[in-house]
Amino acid sequence: QVQLVESGGGLVQAGGSLRLSCVASGSFFFLNTVAWHRQSPGVPRNLVARILRNGATDYSEAVKDRFTISRDNAKNTVYLEIKNLKPADTGKYFCAGDAEVGDGLRSFWGRGTQVTVSI
């Protein structure tokens, strides 16, 4: 079993920055693609950023200029840095990753970390 735990959320003023972390633990050989998803009030959960095992990244069009996803494979950790936070960034941020557990890749989700941006 693999656990993904997000942290780093909080209450931030508009214009501020945050760095979210997603740490994977448990029994697996390696972490493959990892993505951050956001669920805002009244809006379906959607992908905001994704990073492949080789470090290649892609972003939703709405956030690509302010969000940076990165990873430290040695620490099984993926980060999401958010700059110039806007009230529209408010939501719960979930980490989802594929891990090689021995008989193939399986997908896992964390429980999320709340980000609230005040005016």
Side-chain angles (χ1 to χ4, degrees), residues 31-55:
L31 204 55
N32 202 44
T33 298
V34 178
W36 284 96
H37 298 251
R38 178 173 69 197
Q39 185 156 25
S40 301
V43 179
R45 188 182 301 185
N46 57 57
L47 186 149
V48 294
R50 178 173 54 191
I51 186 165
L52 305 184
R53 190 180 177 202
N54 64 6

Side-chain angles (χ1 to χ4, degrees):
Q1 190 67 296
V2 178
Q3 296 80 40
L4 299 180
V5 179
E6 304 94 332
S7 63
L11 175 61
V12 186
Q13 281 193 326
S17 301
L18 277 178
R19 189 174 80 156
L20 308 182
S21 298
C22 170
V23 180
S25 63
S27 181
F28 60 99
F29 291 95
F30 61 83
L31 204 55
N32 202 44
T33 298
V34 178
W36 284 96
H37 298 251
R38 178 173 69 197
Q39 185 156 25
S40 301
V43 179
R45 188 182 301 185
N46 57 57
L47 186 149
V48 294
R50 178 173 54 191
I51 186 165
L52 305 184
R53 190 180 177 202
N54 64 6
T57 60
D58 66 272
Y59 302 89
S60 72
E61 195 66 26
V63 306
K64 65 178 184 177
D65 295 331
R66 298 184 297 112
F67 287 30
T68 302
I69 189 170
S70 61
R71 66 190 294 162
D72 184 336
N73 288 336
K75 296 181 179 179
N76 291 318
T77 301
V78 173
Y79 305 98
L80 184 68
E81 186 174 1
I82 310 174
K83 297 180 179 179
N84 189 21
L85 278 153
K86 304 178 184 300
D89 294 322
T90 293
K92 198 162 190 179
Y93 286 72
F94 296 87
C95 169
D98 295 332
E100 171 57 61
V101 296
D103 59 356
L105 289 172
R106 294 193 184 180
S107 297
F108 299 89
W109 284 79
R111 295 186 176 185
T113 184
Q114 178 69 36
V115 172
T116 303
V117 184
S118 63
I119 298 172

